[in-house]
Amino acid sequence: MIDQFQRPLHDLRISVTDRCNFRCVYCMPTEVFGKDFAFMERDELLSFEEITRLARISVAHGVEKIRLTGGEPLLRKGIEELVAMLAALRTPDGRPIDIAMTTNGSVLALKAQALKDAGLKRVTVSLDSLDDATFQAMNDVKFPVSKVLNSLDVAHSVGLGPIKINMVLKRGQNDQDVVAMARHFKGTPYILRFIEYMDVGSSNGWEMADVVPSSEVVARINAELPLDEVAPNYNGETSRRWRYRDGDGEIGVISSVTQSFCHSCSRARVSTDGKLFTCLFATEGHDLRALMRGGCTDEQLSAVMARIWSERTDRYSELRSIETGKLRASGKKKIEMSYIGG
Ligand code: SAM
Ligand code: SF4
Ligand code: SF4
């Protein structure tokens, strides 16, 4: 199944909850996601059966990778049951699906073994600094670095690897820690990835001046720990890889702002309440929950999903400057990352 720019549907990201125990400044700022914020009610969320149904149909359409995300996916009660249900799916030619999760690591140490037993393959853990003051200013709930580091070790020891670490950079907030992070994770089993701060959602007050371009990140690290660029692992990999010249591991940079990768974007996203989005920067999704709860058959759902993907023309990052202007002018709200799933 291919879209209007010949891109296949290959990855599915599913947001299993819009709630989170962190208030990262670039994602769920406390001023917006405060005590009175109305998160979704339980019956608004897709059930595990509904999620698995959509996943099964997507797999029949070519999806081979499913990533559970959120909000904080480990806050969804019984998440390991969902992992087990998804792990039972097979591609049309009988192969298992690659099931991964992105988590803030806050409760991962407690859940890692159960997730592994249920069939989760890998985790990506977000960590924006090794310095408690900086990290806590970013997560805004005083969560300590040491607990995330412990989660990493537990997840690694139960075999949820290779583990990637996501560090979102916001200028003036944590970019002073780039080299310290690189040094800390060099030579460990963890692959550190530096992510450009994106203008996703409408809450974070994004400005281009806050973005630390990946080229600058690579230059800063290279000045102290020499790097060589290496080829991508597969076509469409979002991260560009750089290996330490002394052979002691690699880093990745994800340049969603300065070097967009729309041309190879093969991802669909399902929001917490079952809307299908074909771009992270969409303003509207397609309501699959309404179809499912309205009694639609698998064949009908499958046809709807095929039509949506085949009509897809998204390439927001490529058009960013023009589109951002247009969206501001139109007053349309972009969808929040915690709802659509990062
Ligand atoms: N709560 C989990 C976590 O933080 O890993 C999963 C959901 S979070 C939305 C997924 C990823 O998106 C995280 O690595 C997070 O750092 C990243 N993210 C959130 N807002 C972002 C933004 N504005 N720009 C770039 N990355 C962002
Ligand atoms: Fe929560 Fe993840 Fe967003 Fe931070 S990035 S607020 S941990 S959903
Ligand atoms: Fe894919 Fe949209 Fe991101 Fe482009 S902007 S890479 S189409 S999600």
Side-chain angles (χ1 to χ4, degrees), residues 61-74:
H61 279 309
V63 163
E64 301 199 349
K65 252 169 92 175
I66 295 180
R67 180 171 291 276
L68 298 177
T69 176
E72 172 46 41
L74 293 180

Side-chain angles (χ1 to χ4, degrees), residues 16 36 57 84 95 101 111 126 223 231 239 250 273 276 285 291 293:
V16 294
D36 299 329
I57 293 170
R95 284 170 296 123
M101 179 183 284
K111 300 243 181 184
S126 303
S239 165
E250 67 180 69
D273 57 353
L276 181 69
L291 294 177
R293 294 190 184 173

